[in-house]
Amino acid sequence: MKAGFLGLGRMGAGMAARLLAVAPDLKVYNRSAQATQVLAEQGATVAREVADFADCDLVFTMVADDAAERDLTLGAGGLAETLPAGAIHVACSTIGVDCARALDAAHRQRGQSYLSMPVFGRPDAAAAGKLFLVAAGPAAVFDAIAPYRERLGQRSFLLGAQPEQANLVKLSGNYLIATVIESLGEAMALVEKGGIDRQAYLELLTSTLFDAPVYRNYGKLIADRQQRPAGFALPLAQKDLRLVLAAAEALAVPLPFSGPLRDRFLHLAAQGYGDLDWSALGVAAAEAAGLPHALDPRPGPGND
C-alpha cells in the first residue's frame, strides 16, 4: 500500500521514521513544514497540503487533539474528501469518543475504512518501535496493516469492532496513569518530609510491591525532579482528563479521583507550568508539602 503520515510532533516523527522501513515512499505532512526536514533527508516525500494524499491507500494521523484531527479529516479538502474509496485511515491520536465516531461515519459514507489505534508510550518508545497499540474497528483492516503495526509497536491489541472503543480504552489508561503519578508523588512527599531519601524509597517500591514500568519510569521522573523536556506536556494530559470525564458522564460512570486531579491540573496551569511533563503532578505534591526546589517555572532548553 502507498502510505502517508500526518502529524510529526514528538510522537509522530518517531513513528513515521519507523514506517520508512516498510513504506520507503512514505509521504509525510505537518502544519509546520520544518518538522518534515529530517524525514525528507531519510527518503520520505513531503506533502505540502492534505490534498496531496489523494494517491494513498493508507494514512496514519498523530495530532494533538480533537480539533486538529477533525480539521485534517473532516475539514474542506481533508482526508475524508481526499482519500480514494477503499483507502484506510488509522488515527493514532488521543481523541474523544465522539470525535472518533464522527471520523468513522465520514469515512464510511465515502467508502473508506477507519481504524482508531491510539498508543501507549513516550517519544523514546515511539522512536524505538516499542509502543503498545490499542486498536478498534474492522478486524480485516487491523490485519491488513500488520506490517506497519509491527514496525510501530511491540504489541497490538484489537479490543472491539467500534473504533471509539479504542479511544475509550486509551483515555481510561491515561486517567489511570495520572492517578498513579499523583498518588506516587503524595507518598514520596510524605516519606521525604519524614526524613527518608526519596531515591531509596523509590528503589524499595519498584523492587518489591510496585515493579511495573509506570512506577519505575514516572517514579524516577518524580524523584529526579525531571520535568523538562516534556515527553507528554501537562496541557495535553489536562485535555485527556476532560475527555475521559466527558466519556464517563455519557456512560454514567463516577470517577471520584478525577476531582483532585482536575484541581492539581488547574493549579499547575494557573502557576504557568504549561511546558512541564505531566510527571509534575507528582512533583507538585512535594511543593504542596513545603519541600524546597520542587517545581521550577523557568523555561528549559529545547522547549517552546
Side-chain angles (χ1 to χ4, degrees):
M1 290 184 281
K2 184 170 179 57
F5 201 104
L6 298 87
L8 303 174
R10 297 198 68 196
M11 292 293 292
M15 294 170 69
R18 294 285 304 174
L19 290 180
L20 284 169
V22 290
D25 59 346
L26 184 72
K27 187 176 292 186
V28 297
Y29 171 81
N30 196 70
R31 283 179 294 184
S32 171
Q34 184 177 0
T36 64
Q37 182 176 347
V38 172
L39 285 160
E41 292 170 355
Q42 297 175 8
T45 300
V46 177
R48 289 186 291 182
E49 57 185 357
V50 178
D52 292 340
F53 291 86
D55 60 344
C56 286
D57 309 298
L58 168 66
V59 294
F60 294 83
T61 52
M62 185 57 154
V63 293
D65 52 30
D66 289 31
E69 191 69 70
R70 285 178 180 271
D71 183 54
L72 275 180
T73 306
L74 306 179
L79 291 174
E81 290 184 3
T82 295
L83 294 176
I88 298 169
H89 175 195
V90 180
C92 300
S93 313
T94 300
I95 56 175
V97 169
D98 289 343
C99 182
R101 288 197 186 106
L103 301 181
D104 182 41
H107 283 302
R108 282 191 288 106
Q109 185 178 12
R110 292 166 174 81
Q112 303 151 353
S113 296
Y114 173 75
L115 187 78
S116 276
M117 195 174 72
V119 305
F120 285 112
R122 290 168 69 86
D124 56 344
K130 298 297 184 182
L131 298 170
F132 292 102
L133 314 177
V134 179
V141 174
F142 180 77
D143 292 340
I145 66 166
Y148 306 89
R149 290 190 285 106
E150 290 166 3
R151 285 295 299 170
L152 293 174
Q154 56 182 302
R155 189 171 177 187
S156 302
F157 301 83
L158 182 63
L159 297 178
Q162 304 302 317
E164 67 270 15
Q165 292 173 312
N167 302 98
L168 182 63
V169 170
K170 167 62 176 175
L171 292 171
S172 73
N174 277 14
Y175 175 68
L176 184 56
I177 295 171
T179 64
V180 168
I181 295 172
E182 172 66 26
S183 60
L184 183 57
E186 291 175 10
M188 201 172 289
L190 175 65
V191 300
E192 183 180 359
K193 198 159 188 185
I196 306 298
D197 179 77
R198 61 180 182 265
Q199 299 285 357
Y201 179 64
L202 178 64
E203 176 66 20
L204 166 68
L205 291 180
T206 57
S207 299
T208 56
L209 299 177
F210 299 97
D211 183 16
V214 68
Y215 284 95
R216 291 195 303 270
N217 297 338
Y218 285 106
K220 186 176 189 308
L221 291 174
I222 296 169
D224 291 348
R225 303 289 197 255
Q226 184 181 339
Q227 303 137 52
R228 295 185 177 100
F232 187 55
L234 277 165
L236 294 177
Q238 187 176 11
K239 174 265 298 184
D240 289 353
L241 181 62
R242 291 194 295 268
L243 292 177
V244 79
L245 285 172
E249 182 171 352
L251 293 169
V253 176
L255 297 178
F257 289 166
S258 64
L261 283 175
R262 175 181 175 275
D263 289 345
R264 185 75 84 191
F265 276 121
L266 289 174
H267 167 76
L268 289 165
Q271 298 301 313
Y273 292 120
D275 70 318
L276 299 187
D277 187 82
W278 70 327
S279 60
L281 287 173
V283 182
E287 182 193 60
L291 293 166
H293 311 300
L295 290 167
D296 181 359
R298 292 174 298 171
N303 287 276
D304 300 319

